[in-house]
Amino acid sequence: MLYKDFQGLKLSALGLGAMRLPVVDGDDTKIDQDAVNGMVAYAMEQGINYYDTAWGYHGGNSEVALGRALAQHPRDQFYLATKFPGYDLSNMDKVEEIFERQLEKTGMEYFDFYLIHNVCESNIDEYLNPAHGIMPYLLEQKKAGRIRHLGFSAHGAIPVMERFLEAYGEHMEFCQIQLNFLDWRFQNAKGKVDLLKKYNLPVWVMEPVRGGKLAQISDEDAARLHELRPDESTVAWAFRFIQGIPEVCVTLSGMSNMDQLKENIQTFSEDKSLNEEERAALQAVVDEMLGRGTVPCTACHYCTNHCPQGLDIPKLLEMYNEAIVTGGKGGFIPSMYVGTLPEDKRPDACIGCGSCAAVCPQQIDIPGTLADFAAKLAG
Ligand code: SF4
Ligand code: SF4
């Protein structure tokens, strides 16, 4: 196992994420405890010492299951992380109640790492609202030794992260972001890494394989990668890409079975970052993925002044692309973003006048795209 230094601690470069644990009868809330115990025992034996859960994973049962599995191992041999669930605004005034309950659920006396969960467009105002008392409470817990290291996770865009860091950056010790070979440019993970660097914050990676979706590449692309690295799977390529980013400390993978765990441990037994030729091959895979029906908006903003509805067209198109790449409604990011907009600024507020398309240098069918986006969001 590779290890990374963090404030004198030796953290395993691969962390076990507990958001996709094995379940019984396909019910996401019914975790197969025996299987989890087995996976955690194997992970410990192989040197993984970082375990990540959260209040909401598996309908609230992930913290319990992971806590039970870890209870079978000495407390000083693992690091446990969980998170304050402010993605649900009704939790904002419950930081004490939730924190105490998390200690009970996991059976722990302290958390090694505690994160403010999913800072994004829909909750930033409330996370920054001092009336909730979240930060003073968490700092108190840190002082009392019940939180050893404080950080945050973010799905929000860079301006949201900037607002959070301006307010709380001095208290943060690390940040968890979605980073993988697709999102390096697509969700501007590179820009986020650069921003965190300014605050001297190491990066924790989530969704390194986008829930397995990045492994679903065309046969042609797979053959090209295989030619360059005959012994590595597409999943391993995704991790090798991350290994080449020096700011990354822990990479979390939500593993669902022993086979995935074994393969990932094997990958993290050595650092085999990609060379230039390999990065170019991976970029070709990204180009192919982005070619599947996304629109080539460059965010030039030429169109926005022409919209009688005052829509933020480039941002809506960015969210549309996210939906296309992810499939279906596009996961939670597009729905979450659109949900934060007033009704008259959403994709279905487009009246189809076409003034925007007439000035778009990329010749994007903007009204058609927004109509398609509205239909996708409507399910
Ligand atoms: S077609 Fe829609 S997005 Fe474009 S200018 Fe008209 S209302 Fe705005
Ligand atoms: S004019 Fe076209 S490329 Fe420019 S922001 Fe608008 S949609 Fe995007």
Side-chain angles (χ1 to χ4, degrees):
M1 177 57 53
L2 297 168
Y3 290 91
K4 296 281 186 140
D5 288 327
F6 172 77
Q7 298 186 15
L9 303 178
K10 210 173 111 195
L11 304 181
S12 54
L14 174 66
L16 193 153
M19 77 291 283
R20 296 188 189 98
L21 293 172
V23 296
V24 180
D25 298 332
D27 182 341
D28 186 59
T29 64
K30 285 191 198 157
I31 296 170
D32 182 340
Q33 187 68 54
D34 288 343
V36 174
N37 293 349
M39 285 174 69
V40 167
Y42 184 78
M44 292 288 292
E45 193 187 298
Q46 297 296 316
I48 292 182
N49 61 16
Y50 193 96
Y51 297 83
D52 172 86
T53 182
W55 177 258
Y57 294 165
H58 288 284
N61 295 329
S62 169
E63 288 177 327
V64 177
L66 189 60
R68 282 184 188 149
L70 288 170
Q72 297 168 29
H73 304 272
R75 183 65 183 92
D76 61 356
Q77 285 182 22
F78 60 83
Y79 301 108
L80 176 61
T82 193
K83 316 181 183 84
F84 174 70
Y87 51 80
D88 177 349
L89 298 182
S90 69
N91 289 331
M92 288 292 181
D93 283 326
K94 299 181 192 159
V95 63
E96 181 171 357
E97 177 191 330
I98 288 173
F99 185 78
E100 294 296 338
R101 184 80 189 101
Q102 287 176 307
L103 289 173
E104 273 172 42
K105 281 171 77 183
T106 53
M108 300 289 154
E109 289 178 353
Y110 64 91
F111 294 118
D112 304 276
F113 293 85
Y114 196 81
L115 297 90
I116 293 177
H117 200 168
N118 187 14
V119 174
C120 64
E121 283 75 1
S122 62
N123 58 31
I124 182 70
D125 289 339
E126 293 311 309
Y127 267 140
L128 298 187
N129 182 349
H132 302 302
I134 295 168
M135 192 55 67
Y137 178 80
L138 296 180
L139 291 173
E140 239 174 65
Q141 302 317 305
K142 192 174 164 190
K143 215 168 161 189
R146 299 169 95 204
I147 291 174
R148 300 288 160 89
H149 300 282
L150 195 55
F152 70 111
S153 70
H155 276 291
I158 286 180
V160 168
M161 290 177 65
E162 277 171 338
R163 281 182 68 196
F164 186 85
L165 286 164
E166 271 161 28
Y168 299 136
E170 62 178 311
H171 304 305
M172 294 294 112
E173 297 171 75
F174 64 106
C175 176
Q176 193 164 305
I177 57 170
Q178 178 163 321
L179 193 164
N180 51 60
F181 63 80
L182 174 68
D183 290 314
W184 186 240
R185 303 272 175 207
F186 184 58
Q187 278 196 12
N188 199 7
K190 182 183 184 310
K192 293 175 183 177
V193 169
D194 289 343
L195 171 66
L196 294 169
K197 218 163 149 180
K198 282 193 212 152
Y199 284 82
N200 290 319
L201 294 180
V203 174
W204 266 230
V205 168
M206 57 181 159
E207 299 294 3
V209 201
R210 266 192 173 235
K213 284 209 160 54
L214 294 187
Q216 295 161 14
I217 61 175
S218 69
D219 291 349
E220 246 173 58
D221 283 338
R224 208 175 316 146
L225 298 186
H226 188 72
E227 207 175 296
L228 290 166
R229 290 199 180 201
D231 298 331
E232 302 236 274
S233 68
T234 313
V235 170
W237 270 81
F239 288 122
R240 298 302 184 204
F241 172 81
I242 292 165
Q243 285 181 342
I245 302 167
E247 292 81 5
V248 171
C249 187
V250 176
T251 299
L252 295 164
S253 176
M255 294 172 259
S256 306
N257 57 54
M258 201 57 115
D259 288 346
Q260 288 172 356
L261 177 61
K262 285 183 177 170
E263 185 186 346
N264 291 348
I265 287 171
Q266 173 65 30
T267 304
F268 277 86
S269 66
E270 54 187 331
D271 183 345
K272 284 167 71 178
S273 308
L274 305 181
N275 62 30
E276 214 171 299
E277 185 190 6
E278 291 164 338
R279 279 202 301 275
L282 206 52
Q283 186 57 45
V285 173
V286 169
D287 293 344
E288 197 273 328
M289 282 177 164
L290 294 180
R292 295 177 200 159
T294 57
V295 289
C297 175
T298 57
C300 66
H301 283 83
Y302 291 163
C303 55
T304 47
N305 285 344
H306 296 263
C307 179
Q309 300 295 87
L311 303 184
D312 186 348
I313 297 168
K315 186 68 190 176
L316 290 174
L317 296 186
E318 182 191 323
M319 290 295 121
Y320 175 78
N321 284 346
E322 173 69 32
I324 291 292
V325 167
T326 305
K329 286 185 183 188
F332 77 93
I333 292 178
S335 314
M336 175 192 76
Y337 173 74
V338 171
T340 64
L341 300 174
E343 282 186 10
D344 63 351
K345 299 293 177 226
R346 295 179 184 179
D348 59 4
C350 169
I351 56 172
C353 68
S355 313
C356 51
V359 296
C360 174
Q362 306 303 324
Q363 299 177 340
I364 296 169
D365 171 13
I366 299 167
T369 305
L370 292 181
D372 187 33
F373 191 19
K376 280 187 168 31
L377 291 172

